[in-house]
Amino acid sequence: MARRITLADVALKAGASKATVSLVLNNRESRISPETSERIRVAAQELGYTPNPAAQTLRTGKTQTLAFISDEVLTTRFASAMIHGILEVAESHDQMILMAETEHSPQRWQKSLASMKNRQVDGFILGLMRARNLQKVDIPLNQPAVVVNGKAQGIASILPDEHRAGQQAVEYLVAHGHKKIALIGRPPAGSSEHATMNIPRRMAGIDDAMRTAGLGFSAEYQEVLWEGEAGYLGALAVLEQAPDISAVIAANDRIAFGVYRAFQERGISVPEDISVISFDDEELASYMHPGLTTLRLPYAQMGQAATQILMQEDPANLISGVRSEGNEVLIPMPLIERDSVKTL
Amino acid sequence: MARRITLADVALKAGASKATVSLVLNNRESRISPETSERIRVAAQELGYTPNPAAQTLRTGKTQTLAFISDEVLTTRFASAMIHGILEVAESHDQMILMAETEHSPQRWQKSLASMKNRQVDGFILGLMRARNLQKVDIPLNQPAVVVNGKAQGIASILPDEHRAGQQAVEYLVAHGHKKIALIGRPPAGSSEHATMNIPRRMAGIDDAMRTAGLGFSAEYQEVLWEGEAGYLGALAVLEQAPDISAVIAANDRIAFGVYRAFQERGISVPEDISVISFDDEELASYMHPGLTTLRLPYAQMGQAATQILMQEDPANLISGVRSEGNEVLIPMPLIERDSVKTL
DNA sequence: CTGAAAGCGCTTACAG
DNA sequence: CTGAAAGCGCTTACAG
């Protein structure tokens, strides 16, 4: 392999010192004559010079590299959309991303943090699969960091705007003329240990909007475990409680999936007989017939925002509707309109 | 932030030279007295010394870092499962992963390759969303590299064992007593431009096994575009051609999904009336009712194997049933047995 | 306006 | 068995 071109080569070719070349190539040429600058640029160009990052890091302590540590990367949509958003913004700032996964092991979490720190990354993006509150022990860094889908003392936190999304679901139903509404999936009181911190917010948004609209739920089915089975049982239950409902709010897409199945068995058609709206926009939602109208968890945007924050850029540049509360940056959950809600 | 501990600190504390400390800590202590070694290890331990990777890289040209460049990372399961596999093996070799995504842009592909090379990564993992043959121009590196889900002159290639999977699908059906079988999704002759290089292999495996079993297809529906719609139309078509089929081979899960829908409309139940077997094991497959029996694309294992090859480790250590042909490493596609095939 | 020199923290011949 | 020294390729005071 051909020897790597170094600063010294450029200096030699341009007839200048390494110091001058370095200054010019780093755009600190305030006090360098235009002629010299130009000669240096041409020489660097002709030789195809690129600085050796290891040498730069050794000297400056900067790596142009960000760490993305996530507790789970295998899962659908979560990490992969987030990575996509991160990569996009990182590239625009000439940063590369070093990845690690901890599979929910505190030891691996600590180990990843330590080795990334040892590699002198310029910042940390901490991605959580299920939103929770990180303790101080989780981030033993005096280093720029941001948590995605979680919170932590003193560092920026990127979260989906669940409260707003909850409101929007209700407002959307109301705007389409629905008044008799059932809710499937509210966690029973006291089940909060199982829940991520996003769930109460989603519920509070729903409740607030119902109150604002002057409505109460015609029926409810409570459940912490948000899987298809809960939706199936929930649908049967609310049908029993209030056969005249015109719409169902499912706490998430998996529940909605179960609701569809129950309705289908009962010969109830969506949305002709009963409308359904939901949250998350998992891949699943796009396969359902009719297509499920749902509020998307904006993973890609959350990744973008996290990276922007680390780069001191304003997330509002890329994402409209972002709002901040304290050290929380709340990313809007877009309403994905498909065919599961009918206008009354 | 406290100053970083360096080799010199350890040397000072242990009363040895930096050279000796370096030797000991890199396990090249053949000619160092045990006492000195021990003193040095203790000192390093007590000070919490870790070498500065930038300095090591500058000196040795090694980074303990691998590049994962993929043309698409956003897509379900593909990249994220692959990343998972890569990370797992990388961690066991104390390597970190630098990620980039090119979104199918040749410019970004080249740029990523160049900047990774500039950062002196120790090896390249090139991940392709749709299997194809890379040209020389795509990998202008004289550097360790491996392609996942693709081929390239002179470098190792990790591919799913599609031929074997095709055979297995047929053998499974035959073993369950099926003889009247329809195939949905064979690409029409001359449509090869649309296809990835895996498709002909899948088909060849199917055909070989049918021949071996002394069977021919009772009905076929050809299509390049493997989406739900093709499955729906295909199911209706094969039903027309041969109403007495007992099983359908769908070219992939999306086709199977459409087949289910058509059958449901016709009141045909899976698997009681007709069995269905498929390929890929997309997330979708796990949601279908009844659960779809399918041959999984082993993305995680492909990521593992790629990393192992780069690390000069034998993939057979982790993955059973791997076979090699030339510079191809073929990873078995496991049969995921669910409930869509009935024993006759 | 520009250059010589020090130093970031390692590893590796080389000398003894 | 061990140490002194050079050098990897940069950047940054400092001197002129």
Side-chain angles (χ1 to χ4, degrees), chain A residues 195-269:
Chain A
T196 78
M197 43 182 297
N198 287 330
I199 293 178
R201 298 180 177 199
R202 185 177 290 186
M203 293 300 147
I206 292 173
D207 289 337
D208 283 0
M210 288 293 280
R211 204 173 307 119
T212 303
L215 297 173
F217 285 111
S218 303
E220 269 203 29
Y221 178 82
Q222 302 199 335
E223 176 60 66
V224 235
L225 203 66
W226 288 0
E227 294 295 341
E229 195 58 19
Y232 180 82
L233 298 174
L236 300 181
V238 298
L239 242 26
E240 184 104 348
Q241 290 170 51
D244 61 339
I245 50 171
S246 73
V248 166
I249 299 179
N252 77 352
D253 294 342
R254 291 167 189 237
I255 287 187
F257 187 78
V259 170
Y260 267 45
R261 191 156 63 86
F263 282 0
Q264 193 177 359
E265 276 187 24
R266 292 295 166 104
I268 294 170
S269 95

Side-chain angles (χ1 to χ4, degrees), chain A residues 3 5-26 28 32 36 40 44 49 51 55 59:
Chain A
R3 192 179 60 79
I5 305 294
T6 71
L7 246 202
D9 299 319
V10 179
L12 191 68
K13 173 152 183 160
S17 73
K18 292 192 294 169
T20 306
V21 175
S22 173
L23 257 14
V24 171
L25 265 21
N26 288 307
R28 305 219 188 139
I32 310 288
T36 310
I40 288 171
Y49 169 71
R59 198 48 238 253

Side-chain angles (χ1 to χ4, degrees), chain B:
Chain B
M1 193 165 60
R3 192 179 61 79
R4 187 177 182 121
I5 304 294
T6 71
L7 245 202
D9 298 320
V10 179
L12 191 68
K13 172 150 186 161
S17 72
K18 293 192 294 168
T20 306
V21 174
S22 173
L23 256 14
V24 171
L25 264 21
N26 289 305
N27 300 313
R28 304 217 190 144
E29 41 192 321
S30 35
R31 302 168 315 185
I32 310 288
S33 76
E35 298 76 42
T36 310
S37 274
E38 186 53 20
R39 242 185 315 127
I40 288 172
R41 286 183 196 290
V42 169
Q45 174 73 35
E46 285 181 7
L47 293 171
Y49 170 70
T50 47
N52 181 325
Q56 294 186 120
T57 296
L58 183 57
R59 197 51 237 251
T60 64
K62 300 291 172 221
T63 50
Q64 303 277 92
T65 304
L66 268 18
F68 176 48
I69 302 180
S70 123
D71 53 13
E72 196 171 336
V73 90
L74 187 55
T75 315
T76 327
R77 288 221 38 214
F78 165 66
S80 101
M82 196 177 289
I83 292 171
H84 183 74
I86 291 171
L87 251 21
E88 189 183 326
V89 175
E91 188 180 353
S92 77
H93 289 268
D94 279 313
Q95 299 276 324
M96 304 221 102
I97 301 295
L98 223 34
M99 284 229 8
E101 174 186 30
T102 69
E103 293 185 271
H104 301 280
S105 147
Q107 290 82 344
R108 291 181 65 186
W109 179 268
Q110 294 297 347
K111 198 185 149 202
S112 295
L113 242 31
S115 44
M116 294 292 192
K117 186 173 177 179
N118 188 46
R119 289 188 175 226
Q120 304 179 73
V121 295
D122 297 340
F124 287 82
I125 299 170
L126 276 10
L128 266 27
M129 176 60 201
R130 346 190 78 248
R132 58 180 233 275
N133 218 320
L134 289 177
Q135 304 307 311
K136 257 180 311 212
V137 64
D138 295 321
I139 33 171
L141 325 150
N142 29 11
Q143 218 112 160
V146 31
V147 195
V148 191
N149 210 28
K151 295 204 60 172
Q153 270 286 9
I155 76 176
S157 167
I158 316 291
L159 290 164
D161 196 344
E162 292 277 6
H163 189 276
R164 185 75 200 91
Q167 292 177 307
Q168 273 187 275
V170 172
E171 289 164 4
Y172 185 80
L173 253 22
V174 170
H176 285 72
H178 295 275
K179 292 195 163 56
K180 305 214 170 251
I181 303 173
L183 173 65
I184 299 180
R186 183 197 297 278
S191 63
S192 55
E193 330 76 62
H194 299 277
T196 78
M197 43 182 294
N198 287 331
I199 293 178
R201 298 182 177 198
R202 185 176 291 185
M203 293 301 148
I206 292 173
D207 288 339
D208 283 0
M210 286 293 281
R211 203 172 308 120
T212 303
L215 296 174
F217 285 111
S218 303
E220 269 205 29
Y221 179 82
Q222 302 199 336
E223 176 60 66
V224 234
L225 204 65
W226 287 359
E227 294 294 341
E229 196 57 19
Y232 181 82
L233 297 173
L236 300 181
V238 298
L239 242 27
E240 185 103 348
Q241 290 171 52
D244 61 340
I245 49 173
S246 72
V248 167
I249 299 178
N252 77 350
D253 293 341
R254 291 167 190 238
I255 287 187
F257 188 77
V259 169
Y260 268 45
R261 191 157 63 86
F263 283 0
Q264 192 176 1
E265 277 186 25
R266 293 294 166 104
I268 295 169
S269 94
V270 177
E272 283 69 27
D273 302 322
I274 301 184
S275 295
V276 178
I277 194 167
S278 170
F279 299 87
D280 289 1
D281 194 32
E282 282 195 69
E283 192 184 9
L284 165 66
S286 64
Y287 290 123
M288 290 167 60
H289 291 280
L292 181 64
T293 293
T294 186
L295 287 120
R296 174 181 293 169
L297 245 13
Y299 289 125
Q301 286 73 19
M302 290 165 69
Q304 290 179 337
T307 315
Q308 289 179 297
I309 300 261
L310 240 29
M311 297 288 98
Q312 326 249 42
E313 188 187 336
D314 183 353
N317 290 352
L318 246 42
I319 310 162
S320 63
V322 186
R323 58 192 183 96
S324 293
E325 276 187 8
N327 66 0
E328 290 187 12
V329 178
L330 270 6
I331 312 297
M333 295 177 61
L335 176 66
I336 309 299
E337 262 190 287
R338 285 191 276 247
D339 309 308
S340 62
V341 175
K342 168 179 127 174
T343 307
L344 288 190

